[in-house]
């Protein structure tokens, strides 16, 4: 419903208050929808998943969660719903993992979290090889430059 205030004559003496019923706008229905369908649900984290990154070769992907862990998953197994899709769980952050980036030139993966830390993981050794510190608050995103060895 809309409220309309009408003013008549030269002054405010003949002010009329009128309620008019307004028709709601029509919702446009799209002619075509993308053919997205749920194939599988991957479970394993104890908290909300806040970050995801894919291996450039599309063989595996990583997820970061509010449970402070990073999990490495086999993409082929997870896409068909196989229960053994989890390959590895990495621990080291003391707060929610918020961002992940996988290098396409090295065996490194980078993670950022609300604990103000940026970590560089060597996925051949499955451990942290470098800690970057200095942020004054949580870090919520990271991205690797496509041609330079630069993490932003």
């Amino acid at each position: 419903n809309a409220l309309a205030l009408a003013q008549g004559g030269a002054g405010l003496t003949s002010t009329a208050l009128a309620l008019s019923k307004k028709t709601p706008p029509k919702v446009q229905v799209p002619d075509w929808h993308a053919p997205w369908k749920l194939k599988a649900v991957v479970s394993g984290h104890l908290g909300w998943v806040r970050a995801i990154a894919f291996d450039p070769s599309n063989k595996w992907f990583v997820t970061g969660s509010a449970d402070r862990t990073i999990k490495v998953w086999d993409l082929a197994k997870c896409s068909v719903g196989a229960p053994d899709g989890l390959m590895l769980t990495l621990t080291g952050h003391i707060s929610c993992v918020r961002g992940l980036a996988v290098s396409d030139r090295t065996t490194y993966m980078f993670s950022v979290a609300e604990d103000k830390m940026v970590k560089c993981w060597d996925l051949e050794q499955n451990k942290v090889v470098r800690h970057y510190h200095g942020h004054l608050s949580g870090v919520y995103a990271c991205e690797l430059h496509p041609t330079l060895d630069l993490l932003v």
Side-chain angles (χ1 to χ4, degrees):
N1 288 339
L3 180 66
L5 182 62
Q7 183 176 348
L12 294 173
T13 56
S14 61
T15 303
L17 191 58
L19 286 174
S20 64
K21 191 159 189 155
K22 208 173 191 184
T23 57
K26 291 186 178 184
V27 178
Q28 293 181 350
V29 178
D31 297 329
W32 180 82
H33 287 285
W36 295 100
K37 293 184 180 175
L38 179 65
K39 288 185 75 173
V41 175
V42 179
S43 59
H45 280 289
L46 300 176
W48 286 15
V49 173
R50 298 293 191 161
I52 187 168
F54 285 86
D55 165 44
S57 66
N58 278 333
K59 293 181 180 174
W60 50 270
F61 65 99
V62 291
T63 54
S65 171
D67 65 6
R68 306 180 313 248
T69 64
I70 298 166
K71 294 189 182 282
V72 182
W73 305 88
D74 184 305
L75 183 60
K77 290 180 180 178
C78 289
S79 65
V80 295
D84 59 343
L86 180 61
M87 297 167 53
L88 179 66
T89 300
L90 301 169
T91 59
H93 282 287
I94 58 172
S95 191
C96 177
V97 178
R98 287 298 197 140
L100 297 166
V102 179
S103 174
D104 58 351
R105 290 191 302 251
T106 65
T107 61
Y108 293 156
M109 175 190 67
F110 297 89
S111 64
V112 298
E114 291 179 9
D115 59 8
K116 308 175 192 174
M117 293 295 295
V118 177
K119 293 183 184 285
C120 176
W121 301 82
D122 186 339
L123 295 177
E124 285 183 344
Q125 300 176 30
N126 298 328
K127 67 178 186 178
V128 176
V129 292
R130 182 158 235 175
H131 300 269
Y132 301 94
H133 54 86
H135 288 276
L136 301 177
S137 62
V139 187
Y140 291 87
C142 64
E143 189 70 35
L144 286 166
H145 191 278
T147 57
L148 303 173
D149 289 332
L150 180 68
L151 178 70
V152 182

